[in-house]
Structures are given as structure tokens and as C-alpha cells.
Amino acid sequence: MKAEQLRINPARLLDRLNQLAAIGRTEDGSCCRLALTDEDKAGRDLVVRWMRELGLEVRIDQAGNIFGLRRGTEDTDPVMTGSHIDTVRTGGRYDGCLGVLGGLEVVQTLADAGLATRRPLVVGAFTDEEGARFHPDMAGSLVYVGGMPLEELYATRGIDGKIFRDELERIGYLGEAPLPLYRPHAYVELHIEQGPVLDQEGITIGAVEDLQGISWTEVLVTGQSNHAGTTPMRMRHDAGYCAGAIATFVRALTKEIGGNQVGTVGSITLHPNLTNVIAARARVTVDLRNTDDASLARAEQRLGEFLRQLAREEGVKIETHSLARFAPVMFDESIAALISRTAQRLGHSCRPMTSGAGHDAQMIARIAPTAMIFVPSIRGISHNPAEDTKPEHLAAGADVLLHTLLELAA
Ligand code: HGY
Ligand code: MN
Ligand code: MN
């Protein structure tokens, strides 16, 4: 069969996606494989087993990033694909996994066809992309490209108090390979859009040209616990009220900044978190994103002003810590154009896109020409067990990945 007629095996891809989705499934149907947990380990072990069954050379680096290499006819810089298999607590079955298992499906399709590529192919599964347990997000790929010292990530304390390096060692993925193990000739990541654009427009493929900036802040409010009944309102230093005020401000801030500014208060933890006690402490996380870095910086500045005013008015102490700050990223134009051309050649509708979510590709773009392939998320839902993509769209994305990688590895 000629190379351009090659297509991936949709049933095999779906079967692997379903097997991986079964690991860490919770009663509401979520995939819950927080980074470096036993569930993440089980997912990693399954992916490593598949890589070995496909005859790939498996390497684990010092951040626990997993790589499977398929040799080329020349020993030169590889073409890399991949993504992540860790999830948020209410994860869906395709976020990240489609990129890793789509890469394995490409490798198996080439092996079945006995087709060699000049450049080696590498499929990567990066550690802790979600940053849900250990901040920041994209942590594994960030240290891979030298964007964060490995020792700093090792010392990171998770939201459950565990230390990153201890957990990485505990699950047996504290590897020896250096960072970066490979400097790819090019990197292409297949991922679900996780937003509503492709689904609403009825388009199958997104050729992702850029990715918006991300700012994560942890806000620690220290007030004074007191009796909910006896304490006059004028005497209160209520951390619970402050947490609510921050969430309300963040929503108003998105309207004030306008454009495509988004803002999320996703986590509020109160202490002592009891009905009849005015909260002494609150931990609040603020996720701000914008494609325009100046606007994102303005949003951060306004948040700081608001927090200082709130502290004065409520007589509380407010500390902030940056958990993640990544500028917007432009992907490689020629690779994004190749993705569009490939999608059209395969008969799929395609449009250029910006990514609203963070991805490992934004980190690899620091050391190699990089772009992404999106496929639709039904109703734009993600980070939710209802996350879903039509099987034919999963297959279309993997076929575009196959032929994009083939051209880059030729
Ligand atoms: O935060 C993100 O955008 C990604 O899901 N880690
Ligand atoms: Mn993802
Ligand atoms: Mn995600």
C-alpha cells in the first residue's frame, strides 16, 4: 500500500483509549489519575507495556517523562508527538490520552505497513501536565525544556502535602535520562479542543496556531475565627466572606478587561469550614488567561489592587503566591500549515485555531518547531466525565497526525 493511502485502525485506537480510561474511574464516570498517584502509575505502566509490545525503546527521564522511540533509517533528531495521561479529578477519557495513544496508533500503523521513516519517531507521555496536584501545570514538559529547575519541581509540595520527588520515586518513575533526552526536529500534539468552537462550527480538524497566556495565583487569607452568632458584623475578620468577594471580583474583572479574558476561582478551602464559625483562613486559587499578554498583566495588576483593598477593609492578612505564569505562545506557522494541508488532503474540514487550554506543546515549542491538531469536543465540555468526541473525529485526528508526522519524518 502506498504511504498516502495509509489510515490508522480506529477500533484499535478506541480500544486502547477505553482500557486507559478504565484506570482510575470513579463512580460518576470520571477518570481520576492525579499526577504521581497509584492510578497515574497504573496508567503509566499500561502505556509502557504497550510501547514495549510495539518494539519501541522506552526511556524515562529524571522528571518521570516517558518516551517510546521507533528507530528511523537515519540516526538523527527525531520527530516527536505525545501529550499526557494524568488527569484532573473529574477528568474525561480523551484529554491528553488521545495524544499519547494516537501516537502509539501511528507507530503501529507504520509497523503493520512495514513502512520505515528516515527520522526516528518518538511518542512522549509528559509528567503532571494538569498541575492539579503539583503546580504548575505542564510541569514535566516545562522542566524538560529547562523552563524550571528540576530540583525546584522535586521540592514542590502537592495540595495533599506530599513532596513531588518522593511520590515520583514511590511510583517507580524517577528515571535517569537527562532533560531534554531528545531535541526534536519537530513536535506535533493531537488533543481534543476542550472548547466549543469546532463542535459549533461543524469542523473536524483545528490547526492550532497559538495558545493563550496563563496566570495561576494562590491567595491565602488570614482573618479571625469567631462565633457566628455573638460576633457583631463590625467586629468580623471573615476569611469566608473574603473568599466569596474574590470569586465575585474575578468574574467582574473579566468584563472589565474584556476581549477574551477569562477568570476562574476553581478552589476555595476554608478553615475550620464549619457552619457556626466565622472562617479564620481561606485558600483561594485564581486562574486568569488571555491571548494578549499585556491584558493578562493588567488583569493580574487589578487583582493585586483589589486584594490590598480587601485586606484593609476587612482587617485580614492576604498573601499571594504565583503557581504558574506562562506567556502566550505562537506555534510554528509551517507546521500549522502542513496540518491544514494534510487535513484537506484527507478530506476533512479544517480551520486555524487558538488553544484556550495549556498543553505540553507550549513548552516543547521552546526547543523545537511545534504545532497542534485539535478535534471537536462535543458541546465543548472537558475536565468533566461528560467529555466526549465522535469516534470518526478521533480517527480523523489520528490520521492527520499520521500523515503530518510522515511528512516531517521523511
Ligand atoms: O490548565 C490547563 O489548561 C491544562 O488543562 N493543564
Ligand atoms: Mn490536556
Ligand atoms: Mn486538562
Side-chain angles (χ1 to χ4, degrees):
M1 180 188 291
K2 292 212 296 231
E4 60 267 20
Q5 288 158 335
L6 274 181
R7 295 295 181 269
I8 62 104
N9 179 327
R12 192 167 57 192
L13 173 59
L14 270 176
D15 175 53
R16 283 204 174 101
L17 284 163
N18 290 336
Q19 286 189 56
L20 183 49
I23 297 177
R25 189 194 308 283
T26 54
E27 68 280 354
D28 71 352
S30 294
C31 299
C32 181
R33 297 191 300 275
L34 290 176
L36 313 187
T37 57
D38 291 341
E39 295 75 19
D40 184 26
K41 171 181 173 47
R44 286 164 168 265
D45 291 349
L46 181 59
V47 167
V48 167
R49 196 189 87 205
W50 283 330
M51 286 182 167
R52 291 212 167 100
E53 284 169 1
L54 288 170
L56 300 182
E57 283 171 43
V58 178
R59 299 285 300 277
I60 316 289
D61 75 15
Q62 295 163 311
N65 297 314
I66 300 168
F67 300 99
L69 177 131
R70 180 181 193 251
R71 290 220 164 276
T73 56
E74 278 181 35
D75 196 9
T76 180
D77 286 343
V79 170
M80 190 186 281
T81 187
S83 191
H84 63 95
I85 61 166
D86 67 300
T87 71
V88 293
R89 250 193 215 115
T90 55
R93 57 184 50 217
Y94 302 128
D95 178 358
C97 302
L98 177 60
V100 176
L101 302 185
L104 294 187
E105 178 51 36
V106 164
V107 164
Q108 189 156 8
T109 303
L110 295 177
D112 290 351
L115 201 145
T117 53
R118 181 172 71 85
R119 291 184 177 278
L121 284 181
V122 172
V123 182
F126 291 99
T127 297
D128 190 22
E129 188 279 345
E130 294 294 358
R133 182 186 181 201
F134 296 100
H135 306 119
D137 54 347
M138 289 75 70
S141 48
L142 179 63
V143 291
Y144 186 80
V145 300
M148 175 185 193
L150 181 60
E151 291 309 318
E152 186 183 334
L153 180 59
Y154 276 174
T156 299
R157 186 180 294 275
I159 56 174
D160 55 4
K162 300 279 189 196
I163 301 298
F164 187 98
R165 192 185 186 288
D166 299 343
E167 287 293 279
L168 187 62
E169 192 163 37
R170 184 183 66 82
I171 67 166
Y173 279 87
L174 176 56
E176 43 49 60
L179 304 155
L181 176 58
Y182 305 108
R183 280 189 178 280
H185 167 70
Y187 178 82
V188 181
E189 180 169 348
L190 169 62
H191 205 288
I192 51 170
E193 177 198 334
Q194 301 183 286
V197 173
L198 293 174
D199 185 47
Q200 282 175 356
E201 296 185 7
I203 292 177
T204 304
I205 299 292
V208 187
E209 298 179 323
D210 63 322
L211 186 149
Q212 68 178 342
I214 302 174
S215 161
W216 284 6
T217 304
E218 176 187 61
V219 182
L220 299 175
V221 181
T222 307
Q224 184 186 59
S225 66
N226 215 325
H227 194 294
T230 59
T231 310
M233 295 312 289
R234 60 181 158 69
M235 284 178 61
R236 295 186 180 210
H237 306 288
D238 184 344
Y241 164 78
C242 291
I246 292 165
T248 306
F249 172 78
V250 166
R251 172 61 63 85
L253 180 61
T254 59
K255 294 188 174 60
E256 178 190 324
I257 300 291
N260 50 25
Q261 180 66 47
V262 292
T264 311
V265 169
S267 174
I268 293 179
T269 315
L270 299 180
H271 174 79
N273 203 31
L274 297 169
T275 306
N276 59 352
V277 180
I278 299 168
R281 294 196 305 275
R283 176 184 180 274
V284 180
T285 61
V286 179
D287 180 322
L288 297 171
R289 308 200 193 193
N290 199 310
T291 51
D292 175 69
D293 210 28
S295 301
L296 185 55
R298 171 125 183 78
E300 290 172 313
Q301 188 207 349
R302 289 285 295 116
L303 175 64
E305 288 166 5
F306 171 76
L307 293 174
R308 284 188 291 279
Q309 182 194 341
L310 186 65
R312 279 194 305 274
E313 287 171 356
E314 296 303 318
V316 298
K317 190 175 92 177
I318 294 183
E319 298 163 66
T320 58
H321 303 279
S322 173
L323 300 178
R325 180 57 165 99
F326 302 125
V329 171
M330 295 306 292
F331 287 133
D332 181 277
E333 257 177 59
S334 64
I335 297 182
L338 170 60
I339 291 166
S340 292
R341 265 199 324 277
T342 305
Q344 275 140 29
R345 182 158 55 83
L346 295 176
H348 300 303
S349 54
C350 179
R351 60 154 286 168
M353 291 194 74
T354 292
S355 175
H359 296 290
D360 294 308
Q362 75 187 86
M363 303 305 175
I364 308 302
R366 297 186 188 189
I367 61 168
T370 296
M372 294 184 74
I373 302 164
F374 274 178
V375 290
S377 291
I378 296 172
R379 292 185 291 115
I381 300 282
S382 185
H383 284 186
N384 178 320
E387 174 183 283
D388 200 2
T389 297
K390 288 180 186 153
E392 59 268 31
H393 288 164
L394 297 170
D399 277 329
V400 172
L401 180 68
L402 166 67
H403 288 280
T404 302
L405 295 177
L406 267 178
E407 183 139 343
L408 290 166

